[in-house]
Amino acid sequence: MGSNNLAVLWMLVHQFVQSRPEDLARAGYRVGPGTAEEIFQKILDTPGGVKIGVADAENNLARLETPDKKIHVHFPEMESWVKEVQPAAEEALLINKDYPMILMAGHHMDMVANTNMRDPAWNEGRRACTMRIHPADANELGIKDGEAAVVETEAGSATVEAEVTESSHRGQVVIPHGFGLVHMEKVYGVNANRLTSAKNRDRLAATPLHRYIPCRVRKAQKT
């Protein structure tokens, strides 16, 4: 096939056909010797996705392969971590004198999708990429609606338009995903990923905590 990925996909499709004939039938396939090759070719010809099976929603727990037919949620790797979660310890961790506020990066909107920025023409007349901040916080920082503000984190800083609104909680600012990208040689908005530190990440999966980034905010100096 000239591709390790395609070879693995071909194998997985054949395994699925052999182990899930009922799911295939519910999806409309006539299961036979050539079904796996049919589905494999259909996947290659349909980049948008292919339905290859439909589970039995009335009897879905029958698929459990544990000896006692129960779902086990205990993870030994996380046991000590979970036991650390105590109210006093959690509250202490919330205090960060250098970065007293929290940036929630990744507010999804209909004009963006992660790092796939839509044509900026779609946003004409809209306040597409702003930093939402609670009125009480904005008042303390001397920031008015529509003014430029600077958000600083361990990873970097960015200047963005402030949107004073009660839709953001006290002590929290929100910047949407999908901006800070170049379109026709011009940068639109702020790339929230550049404010995310890899050090501030999930202990088990090592995924950066985009929704909880310690930060500080100040009014931008006029030039």
Side-chain angles (χ1 to χ4, degrees), residues 130-216:
T130 62
M131 178 199 72
R132 295 186 355 225
I133 183 171
H134 191 274
D137 290 327
N139 183 59
E140 288 181 2
L141 296 168
I143 299 173
K144 296 181 180 179
D145 186 68
E147 290 185 333
V150 177
V151 186
E152 297 175 308
T153 70
E154 281 189 295
S157 65
T159 302
V160 60
E161 177 190 344
E163 180 179 351
V164 180
T165 169
E166 291 188 358
S167 67
S168 180
H169 294 287
R170 190 85 156 87
Q172 174 201 63
V173 293
V174 185
I175 295 177
H177 248 313
F179 291 92
L181 304 178
V182 179
H183 184 275
M184 301 296 288
E185 301 183 355
K186 181 179 178 181
V187 178
Y188 287 83
V190 171
N191 188 341
N193 286 335
R194 297 190 178 279
L195 298 173
T196 306
S197 171
K199 293 189 296 183
N200 184 33
R201 62 188 184 183
D202 181 273
R203 196 184 302 180
L204 187 65
T207 304
L209 303 179
H210 296 279
R211 309 292 191 184
Y212 192 92
I213 306 171
C215 73
R216 56 177 174 247

Side-chain angles (χ1 to χ4, degrees), residues 9-209:
L9 175 62
W10 181 88
M11 178 188 69
L12 291 174
V13 169
H14 277 261
Q15 289 178 343
F16 182 79
V17 170
Q18 292 175 11
S19 62
R20 298 286 190 267
E22 302 89 352
D23 292 353
L24 287 161
R26 279 189 288 268
Y29 293 96
R30 296 183 62 182
V31 183
T35 306
E37 292 297 334
E38 174 193 349
I39 293 175
F40 178 70
Q41 190 59 48
K42 193 173 182 180
I43 292 173
L44 298 183
D45 296 338
T46 315
V50 175
K51 180 186 288 187
I52 65 172
V54 176
D56 182 2
E58 299 300 322
N59 195 29
N60 60 342
L61 293 181
R63 290 295 187 191
L64 286 174
E65 297 182 1
T66 52
D68 57 4
K69 295 296 182 180
K70 294 182 179 180
I71 299 173
H72 296 259
V73 296
H74 175 257
F75 294 91
E77 298 87 352
M78 295 182 64
E79 182 174 0
S80 61
W81 182 12
V82 172
K83 289 180 178 179
E84 292 174 12
V85 181
Q86 300 292 334
E90 290 284 286
E91 187 174 358
L93 288 173
L94 293 176
I95 301 173
N96 189 326
K97 295 181 179 179
D98 294 325
Y99 300 98
M101 300 185 73
I102 297 301
L103 165 63
M104 191 181 89
H107 168 62
H108 291 284
M109 307 168 74
D110 58 2
M111 71 281 281
V112 297
N114 293 325
T115 54
N116 297 317
M117 187 177 73
R118 308 305 191 205
D119 186 334
W122 290 18
N123 301 329
E124 187 173 349
R126 307 168 77 174
R127 300 176 70 181
C129 184
T130 62
M131 178 199 72
R132 295 186 355 225
I133 183 171
H134 191 274
D137 290 327
N139 183 59
E140 288 181 2
L141 296 168
I143 299 173
K144 296 181 180 179
D145 186 68
E147 290 185 333
V150 177
V151 186
E152 297 175 308
T153 70
E154 281 189 295
S157 65
T159 302
V160 60
E161 177 190 344
E163 180 179 351
V164 180
T165 169
E166 291 188 358
S167 67
S168 180
H169 294 287
R170 190 85 156 87
Q172 174 201 63
V173 293
V174 185
I175 295 177
H177 248 313
F179 291 92
L181 304 178
V182 179
H183 184 275
M184 301 296 288
E185 301 183 355
K186 181 179 178 181
V187 178
Y188 287 83
V190 171
N191 188 341
N193 286 335
R194 297 190 178 279
L195 298 173
T196 306
S197 171
K199 293 189 296 183
N200 184 33
R201 62 188 184 183
D202 181 273
R203 196 184 302 180
L204 187 65
T207 304
L209 303 179

